[in-house]
Amino acid sequence: MPLDTIKLGFVEKLEALAHKCRVAVERQEEREREKKKLQAIGPLFRESGDAEEGAGE
């Protein structure tokens, strides 16, 4: 009986760890998708190399 309890506890902890790993991987994949999406959109405002503050005034 004690051996079964130890095995059951180990299996439960292993399942919890596997769940945490799945969640972490899913979150990482989501961050990477968001990053790629933002890179595809690009900056909203682009400045040329000769742009200065207050240029054109």
Side-chain angles (χ1 to χ4, degrees):
M1 180 180 142
L3 189 58
D4 291 338
T5 303
I6 292 171
K7 288 181 183 178
L8 181 60
F10 173 76
V11 170
E12 289 172 346
K13 289 179 182 179
L14 187 61
E15 288 174 344
L17 178 61
H19 175 73
K20 289 178 182 179
C21 290
R22 279 192 299 273
V23 169
V25 168
E26 290 170 359
R27 287 179 180 166
Q28 179 65 32
E29 290 172 347
E30 180 63 26
R31 284 192 297 267
E32 289 175 5
R33 280 193 298 272
E34 289 296 320
K35 185 177 178 181
K36 286 180 182 179
K37 192 185 307 181
L38 290 175
Q39 287 175 346
I41 294 172
L44 296 177
F45 301 100
R46 298 179 194 255
E47 292 185 10
S48 63
D50 61 340
E52 296 179 12
E53 188 174 341
E57 288 183 4

